[in-house]
Amino acid sequence: MGVLPWAWWFGFRRHSAYPLGALAEAVTNTAFGFMRAYVLLALWAARPALGGYDAADAVTFCFITQALIGPVQIFGGIDLTERIRTGDVAIDLHRPVGLQGWWLADDLGRAAAALLLRGGPPLLAGALVFPLTVPGPAASAAFAAAVLLAVVVGFALRYLVALSAFWVHDHRGPEAVALVLSLFFSGMILPLVVFPGALGSAAMALPWAALIQVPADVFLGRRTGAGLLGALGFQAGWALVLLGAGALLTRAARRRLVVHGG
Amino acid sequence: MGDAVIEAAALTKTFTRAGGVLRRRARTAVTAVDAVSFTVRRGEFVGYLGPNGAGKSTTIKMLTGILAASSGSLTVCGLDPSRRRTALARRIGVVFGQRTTLWWDLPLRDSLTLVRRLYRVEAAAHRTRLAELTALLELEPFLATPVRQLSLGQRMRGDLAAALLHDPELLVLDEPTIGLDVVSKATVREFLARINAERGTTILLTTHDLGDIERLCRRVMIIDHGRLAYDGGLGELRRTVGADRVLVVELDRPAPPIALDGIEAERADGPRQWLRLPPAANAAAVIAALAARYDVRDIALRETGIEDVLASLYRGDRAYGRPAPGGQRSSAE
């Protein structure tokens, strides 16, 4: 067996090493879930059936997105950035393993820990208070696949942002831009279905839609049959494109490498 | 005399620094390593010295394949490091003293397990090797402790174990004793001397700690401003740069500067005077002459330490006695 399953396992253990911290984040995600739910309810009271969602769909969407904040790391960031900034990446680059594959495995472990510790509480709390749309077994299985792909796309985007630290000495700029794009175009601020016309179509075609909007639609049962395959294909396509870009950028970074700090 | 583990010929690394976003054209080239040639043979223990910014770390990054050379040729364990980085990584161990290869949040034992998977060490070989390293480096008391809770000395021992688990032919150490207390330093040095002597592991050691060098290295290479300024034995270095001896003479009472057969006091402080002895001078004869002519209360003979020698070399007060012979230099045994 290769080393990557172990990288996954130790990533999982590393990120589940502080359960109290994760719990605190889950409580925060849940509290914000309720605030967003009431905002969305007010919106849907004024505009029923907006974007094809009913009020229950909108509230369900809200709690799913809150549950996915941790697993897809919607606010951005990856430990690799700091390692590039400090030069510790030299150690990663020395190891007999590809940089992107290693960090992907580690991040999938992190996501699994986040899903376990931070995914459940917002959904459960939401379901106790509001009548949520609950998927059947088929939609649940499809949702699991969509979440996995969302995590991969989320990783690929954050990896690209992290690699920019090889070129840009202050990584906060790219991270700030990435954060705005990620929040706005993933559906985190408002479901993309309410975006009008061309903006809506563009948002649905961009990779960030694969992070939140697509898994949520799968959960809500709005993608079935060929539509479901299209949704998963859309996520997988972006995952491949972005990981490919990551591989190219990794090679470019190696060529151009200046390891900061000696 | 074994075969070559590292062969560098006219190895050069030039970095290009941009002059800023708006001044793209104002690029400057900085040559960090300038046509360095040397050979390290199997079983050698070589100290790689030089002032900060001289090019030591850059050389190490090229040796490990992290950086590609701008020109010249480099072979490590028979491989081109930057092209065969992964294959090479399985055959060499590297310790960056200021960084750690261990996982901060995991117990040391788990980090070592991950390293085992990374380097695909067989289970049986791993058990034997881990037991050996645990005994030699006294890891047992903190194997179950998360790395972030280890003291610096413990962490360094953990890092050494991680670098050696896959039994590399070559161990490259970048300041492994930095920040360690005297006891931890002694443990690390003793361990390094042992694996070099008993397992025949070739070691290239970069350090600013001259105690490391004096206790461990038979051969030193000094890099300065990117150029290899010296390559040879440590004793030879002391001799070739003319490490002087100084007599510190304490008289009964303050006196005019001593003048004795061409040797003059270079400094006087009350009753105490300092006399620098020429390399050819016979210290015993000078002391006898002093005792005969002056009321001497005490005499001490001080040899210039390797530290003083290097400090004056780095500052440029003194010339490197002999330029490094290009490429063909082997060990000074």
Side-chain angles (χ1 to χ4, degrees):
Chain A
M1 187 161 53
V3 68
L4 293 185
W6 292 91
W8 177 87
W9 170 236
F10 281 98
F12 176 83
R13 295 213 7 226
R14 229 152 49 81
H15 287 91
S16 52
Y18 308 104
L20 275 180
L23 188 69
E25 286 171 308
V27 169
T28 313
N29 295 160
T30 305
F32 272 90
F34 280 97
M35 290 200 267
R36 286 183 62 211
Y38 285 112
V39 171
L40 291 177
L41 278 175
L43 180 60
W44 257 263
R47 300 276 306 275
L50 178 64
Y53 281 13
D54 61 22
D57 287 342
V59 172
T60 306
F61 180 93
C62 161
F63 282 101
I64 290 170
T65 59
Q66 291 302 115
L68 287 179
I69 285 178
V72 306
Q73 191 109 338
I74 200 73
F75 296 117
I78 183 170
D79 294 347
L80 173 62
T81 316
E82 189 58 18
R83 293 180 67 80
I84 296 174
R85 201 182 65 75
T86 59
D88 281 353
V89 72
I91 286 173
D92 300 356
L93 290 173
H94 169 67
R95 288 184 177 141
V97 63
L99 189 69
Q100 182 169 246
W102 175 271
W103 282 93
L104 174 59
D106 176 78
D107 199 61
L108 288 173
R110 179 205 58 76
L115 196 64
L116 208 66
L117 296 169
R118 295 174 63 185
L123 269 179
L124 282 176
L128 286 177
V129 176
F130 299 102
L132 298 189
T133 307
V134 180
S140 298
F143 177 66
V147 168
L148 177 63
L149 288 168
V151 170
V152 176
V153 173
F155 162 78
L157 285 166
R158 286 180 290 121
Y159 181 78
L160 288 172
V161 173
L163 282 199
S164 72
F166 278 114
W167 285 268
V168 186
H169 283 223
D170 188 353
H171 56 94
R172 284 170 301 185
E175 276 180 359
V177 173
L179 176 63
V180 171
L181 290 171
S182 159
L183 288 181
F184 192 71
F185 286 111
S186 65
M188 195 64 214
I189 289 178
L190 275 177
L192 300 184
V193 290
V194 310
F195 284 23
L199 178 62
S201 311
M204 288 300 284
L206 291 171
W208 294 280
L211 302 181
I212 298 281
Q213 184 66 43
V214 171
D217 275 346
V218 170
F219 188 92
L220 292 172
R222 289 165 53 88
R223 304 289 190 101
T224 50
L228 176 62
L229 285 182
L232 297 179
F234 169 77
Q235 288 183 299
W238 269 121
L240 285 177
V241 167
L242 293 169
L243 289 176
L248 288 177
L249 207 59
T250 307
R251 268 170 55 190
R254 273 193 190 286
R255 269 202 301 275
R256 165 193 200 292
L257 181 65
V258 177
V259 177
H260 307 303
Chain B
M1 185 126 313
D3 44 339
V5 175
I6 306 175
E7 269 188 299
L11 185 64
T12 301
K13 180 71 191 180
T14 308
F15 291 108
T16 312
R17 295 223 173 103
V21 176
L22 299 176
R23 306 189 314 147
R24 276 274 170 217
R25 261 176 246 164
R27 285 170 182 274
T28 46
V30 178
T31 303
V33 173
D34 192 357
V36 165
S37 301
F38 63 88
T39 302
V40 174
R41 291 179 192 284
R42 197 167 300 284
E44 276 199 278
F45 200 138
V46 181
Y48 193 41
L49 308 181
N52 292 323
K56 298 188 300 293
S57 288
T58 304
T59 311
I60 285 185
K61 281 173 189 141
M62 286 193 281
L63 290 178
T64 53
I66 297 170
L67 284 177
S70 306
S71 66
S73 78
L74 177 64
T75 313
V76 180
C77 299
L79 302 169
D80 175 341
S82 65
R83 282 162 198 265
R84 304 287 312 280
R85 184 184 60 83
T86 306
L88 180 63
R90 297 188 190 286
R91 296 176 57 183
I92 64 176
V94 183
V95 174
F96 296 101
Q98 311 207 48
R99 314 186 187 286
T100 181
T101 194
L102 306 170
W103 284 266
W104 215 238
D105 303 308
L106 295 176
L108 176 59
R109 187 192 301 278
D110 291 354
S111 276
L112 296 178
T113 302
L114 202 43
V115 167
R116 178 202 150 196
R117 298 291 172 181
L118 207 44
Y119 289 91
R120 298 185 196 153
V121 183
E122 294 296 328
H126 177 74
R127 263 196 304 279
T128 318
R129 191 89 178 121
L130 184 59
E132 248 176 62
L133 291 168
T134 302
L136 282 175
L137 289 163
E138 296 161 36
L139 305 178
E140 192 60 48
F142 51 91
L143 268 177
T145 310
V147 171
R148 74 187 127 76
Q149 291 173 13
L150 298 182
S151 73
L152 188 58
Q154 291 172 333
R155 203 214 76 204
M156 181 46 62
R157 278 138 71 193
D159 261 305
L160 279 169
L164 288 163
L165 267 181
H166 60 294
D167 202 7
E169 298 159 47
L170 169 69
L171 180 62
V172 179
L173 303 160
D174 194 355
E175 301 191 39
T177 55
I178 193 165
L180 298 191
D181 65 49
V182 282
V183 177
S184 299
K185 263 184 201 169
T187 312
V188 167
R189 282 174 188 157
E190 194 188 323
F191 171 75
L192 294 176
R194 220 167 143 165
I195 59 160
N196 175 248
E198 291 175 10
R199 290 197 82 90
T201 309
T202 311
I203 301 181
L204 183 71
L205 167 71
T206 285
T207 184
H208 289 297
D209 188 313
L210 298 159
D212 292 350
I213 297 295
E214 292 192 292
R215 278 174 190 70
L216 295 171
C217 303
R218 292 179 287 272
R219 170 183 169 198
V220 293
M221 300 192 296
I222 303 177
I223 187 171
D224 201 355
H225 292 96
R227 287 172 181 276
L228 196 60
Y230 179 83
D231 183 354
L234 192 61
E236 222 177 331
L237 174 67
R238 272 214 193 88
R239 281 193 299 279
T240 50
V241 298
D244 302 323
R245 292 161 301 166
V246 174
L247 268 186
V248 185
V249 184
E250 194 160 338
L251 303 172
D252 266 343
R253 65 192 74 81
I258 297 170
L260 198 73
D261 308 333
I263 301 171
E264 285 178 16
E266 59 172 18
R267 205 179 131 201
D269 183 7
R272 189 176 290 190
Q273 301 199 13
W274 283 260
L275 280 77
R276 186 171 296 276
L277 299 184
N282 177 341
V286 174
I287 291 170
L290 271 172
R293 289 194 217 167
Y294 294 86
D295 295 326
V296 177
R297 184 183 292 167
D298 196 9
I299 288 184
L301 180 62
R302 274 218 304 251
E303 278 204 51
T304 319
I306 185 70
E307 190 150 350
D308 303 313
V309 172
L310 285 178
S312 58
L313 285 173
Y314 292 173
R315 276 196 306 264
D317 297 351
R318 227 193 271 246
Y320 291 94
R322 169 177 60 95
Q328 294 310 308
R329 175 88 207 161
S330 63
S331 87
E333 288 154 311

